[in-house]
Amino acid sequence: MTKSNIAAVVLAAGLGTRMKSSLPKVLHSVAGQPMIGHLLDRLAGFGADRTVVVTSPGMSAVADFVAPAETTIQDPPLGTGHAVLAARDALADFDGDVLVLFGDTPLLTEGTMQAMVDVRRGKNNPAVVVLGFSPDDPGEYGRLVTGANGGLEKIVEYRDASEEEREIGLCNAGIMAIDGARLFDLLDDVGNDNAKGEYYLTDIVEVARSKGWGCVTVETEDPDEVMGVNSRTGLAEAEAAFQYRLRLQAMEDGATLQDPDTVWFSYDTTLGTDVRIGPNVVFGPGVSIGDNVEIRAFCHIEGAEVDNNAIIGPFARLRPGADIGPGVHIGNFVEVKEARLDEGAKANHLSYIGDSWVGAGANIGAGTITCNYDGFFKSRTEIGAGAFIGSNTALVAPVKVGAGAVTGAGSVIAKDVEGDALAITRAPQEELTGWALKYRLRKQTEKDKAEESAEKKAG
Ligand code: UD1
Ligand code: CA
């Protein structure tokens, strides 16, 4: 079945008051991306011809985020049906199928979108296809009232439902596929005589029935997919469900997760094959990991690229711009930001490497710091291939250490070092024979005297 001639209307104008947030609800993130971003990604994958996002005044942040997707303003937001009406002008010349999605439903899959459009275009040409689901706890979701023939009779909102209707387990996911040629005729007949005084999108089902047009449901097997986020608790539940999906996918694609429940992925994390991930590893957005990489316990990685055969952690932090070459070792308490480490370089303990380039096979000793910031400007450090940076070296950028050079432990390197040279800045070592022994004797005598005189005074 063709995917063309489909428009999506994504509703995002609701005030989201239950979030108790100054941020519009749909911009709250799940797996490192605002909820509405997930929907737009799915729509792009699905191949919708056009997308209109409905926002309300004061939500320019949403318009900025979804650009170049078209936005329209619903002012003021008077309900989900009223929200779709706000897209009327944008869809004036459109008579294909309209998918209505809720911006607060970030787990929806392309497969479900396709199933809905297939049914919309299938048998009996129904006007409206509604996505249903049967959650363990139907809570306050709208209920789907089906007729004897299996068709959908109406949708009743929880607040407006009778005791009997509240017993229905089949709920409204909020997602609909509607015949674009009939959509606005249906919406024009929706009123607001209900518990919230809103124009409910859900009422188009009854309107369609009254016109003799068919309405049907498609039920998703996976209630998580249509979880609607209304509160912070709901956001945490969506995060958990999304993480579950990502962990499963990672393992299916050939990664080992020692304790999957403690690994946190981002929506866009990419892993090669035979990646081994220890417990308690967190991936922020923008991470790509090559083949046969080992990421040991307790690492935090974001905006970073890690090439094949590297070993990261335990307890390493890779920040944006970290570019870890093949076979590189990054050990415990090492932080890397905006820095490239070439093949086989090692920084195994307690280091900060920022705004730097480290050549192949270079060894960065424990405690080495690139002093990249002077309070005003950031500067670069370059460390040549095969260089050996002694423990506790401070590299005051801008500075270059040549290939094969050595810096003495504890040195503050503020000037460029030639290749194969030794640079050392610590003071020469002095030795005073017997000094420590004499020192202890002198101090002990002083202490004994002081105690004696204190006793005399007290006695
Ligand atoms: C809605 C459905 C309910 C369904 C549930 C599924 C209606 C009337 N109710 O209830 O049957 O079980 O979703 O999650 O449709 N929005 C606007 N403009 C508005 C109001 C809302 O754009 O004037 C947007 C919101 O930003 C949100 C979406 O529509 O993305 C849903 O609104 P929300 O208030 O969360 O609806 P629910 O009460 O959850
Ligand atoms: Ca909702």
Side-chain angles (χ1 to χ4, degrees):
M1 178 148 294
T2 171
K3 283 184 182 175
S4 60
N5 221 10
I6 296 166
V9 177
V10 181
L11 306 193
L15 299 176
T17 44
R18 288 167 281 181
M19 294 296 281
K20 302 208 171 76
S21 175
S22 57
L23 187 70
K25 175 163 75 175
V26 298
L27 292 185
H28 283 263
S29 287
V30 167
Q33 164 162 259
M35 291 193 268
I36 195 160
H38 289 285
L39 276 175
L40 296 181
D41 283 356
R42 295 295 85 72
L43 281 169
F46 176 56
D49 300 299
R50 48 204 292 193
T51 296
V52 182
V53 178
V54 182
T55 67
S56 53
M59 280 194 185
S60 56
V62 176
D64 291 346
F65 179 80
V66 302
E70 201 178 333
T71 46
T72 178
I73 290 181
Q74 179 196 13
D75 183 15
L78 298 177
T80 49
H82 183 253
V84 179
L85 277 172
R88 176 177 246 154
D89 287 349
L91 298 180
D93 57 348
F94 183 82
D95 64 356
D97 287 311
V98 177
L99 261 181
V100 177
L101 310 177
F102 287 178
D104 66 356
T105 311
L107 282 88
L108 189 69
T109 62
E110 288 160 39
T112 297
M113 295 180 188
Q114 186 64 55
M116 295 189 63
V117 170
D118 289 349
V119 172
R120 214 317 288 148
R121 291 176 177 179
K123 202 172 70 186
N124 300 333
N125 188 28
V128 181
V129 180
V130 175
L131 185 62
F133 69 118
S134 305
D136 293 339
D137 172 15
E140 300 199 350
Y141 285 112
R143 304 298 205 266
L144 302 185
V145 182
T146 46
N149 59 358
L152 181 62
E153 295 294 330
K154 65 170 181 172
I155 306 176
V156 52
E157 285 304 287
Y158 180 80
R159 291 209 209 182
D160 303 296
S162 63
E163 279 305 317
E164 205 180 311
E165 287 166 332
R166 287 181 181 181
E167 291 300 312
I168 297 173
L170 186 60
C171 294
N172 174 29
I175 290 124
M176 299 189 189
I178 306 160
D179 177 2
R182 291 180 274 182
L183 170 62
F184 292 104
D185 285 347
L186 292 171
L187 284 170
D188 282 336
D189 287 354
V190 168
N192 66 348
D193 181 17
N194 52 51
K196 278 175 133 179
E198 288 188 352
Y199 297 87
Y200 291 162
L201 174 64
T202 46
D203 284 354
I204 64 170
V205 171
E206 260 189 298
V207 174
R209 301 304 301 205
S210 72
K211 292 182 190 288
W213 296 339
C215 299
V216 292
T217 64
V218 165
E219 188 176 351
T220 166
E221 295 296 304
D222 175 15
D224 282 350
E225 182 188 2
V226 292
M227 192 185 282
V229 173
N230 297 321
S231 64
R232 306 279 181 158
T233 332
L235 187 66
E237 283 164 9
E239 180 76 40
F242 209 100
Q243 290 296 337
Y244 180 79
R245 224 190 239 180
L246 293 172
R247 290 164 188 151
L248 225 55
Q249 188 68 50
M251 292 186 281
E252 270 169 26
D253 292 347
T256 295
L257 273 54
Q258 206 180 334
D259 185 2
D261 290 346
T262 66
V263 176
W264 295 80
F265 288 110
S266 198
Y267 71 104
D268 60 350
T269 308
T270 68
L271 303 177
T273 53
D274 285 317
V275 173
R276 300 176 301 289
I277 303 176
N280 296 296
V281 171
V282 176
F283 294 93
V287 174
S288 108
I289 307 286
D291 296 336
N292 197 36
V293 169
E294 182 174 350
I295 300 171
R296 296 178 176 162
F298 294 99
C299 289
H300 192 280
I301 303 177
E302 69 184 310
E305 212 170 296
V306 178
D307 210 330
N308 301 346
N309 306 312
I311 300 178
I312 310 295
F315 296 100
R317 177 157 186 224
L318 302 182
R319 290 174 51 204
D323 181 2
I324 308 299
V328 166
H329 291 190
I330 301 291
N332 40 244
F333 307 107
V334 173
E335 173 181 346
V336 180
K337 184 220 77 171
E338 206 58 66
R340 160 74 187 175
L341 283 87
D342 280 352
E343 182 157 13
K346 292 191 175 109
N348 274 328
H349 335 263
L350 302 156
S351 256
Y352 172 61
I353 303 168
D355 302 308
S356 302
W357 167 73
V358 178
N363 193 310
I364 309 292
T368 295
I369 303 291
T370 54
C371 311
N372 61 330
Y373 184 52
D374 59 9
F376 297 89
F377 299 104
K378 298 267 172 72
S379 302
R380 278 184 67 75
T381 300
E382 293 186 10
I383 297 169
F388 183 95
I389 306 300
S391 294
N392 218 33
T393 295
L395 296 158
V396 184
V399 72
K400 293 181 186 174
V401 176
V406 172
T407 70
S411 292
V412 176
I413 303 295
K415 287 188 290 196
D416 290 357
V417 179
E418 226 175 76
D420 292 323
L422 165 70
I424 186 160
T425 65
R426 52 180 194 244
Q429 186 165 322
E430 271 186 69
E431 185 164 322
L432 305 178
T433 308
W435 184 94
L437 182 61
K438 281 185 241 164
Y439 170 79
R440 279 194 298 273
L441 285 172
R442 176 161 56 85
K443 284 294 180 187
Q444 191 59 53
T445 315
E446 279 172 22
K447 197 176 177 187
D448 293 347
K449 272 189 191 154
E451 279 170 7
E452 228 169 82
S453 77
E455 265 167 39
K456 265 185 200 156
K457 259 190 202 159

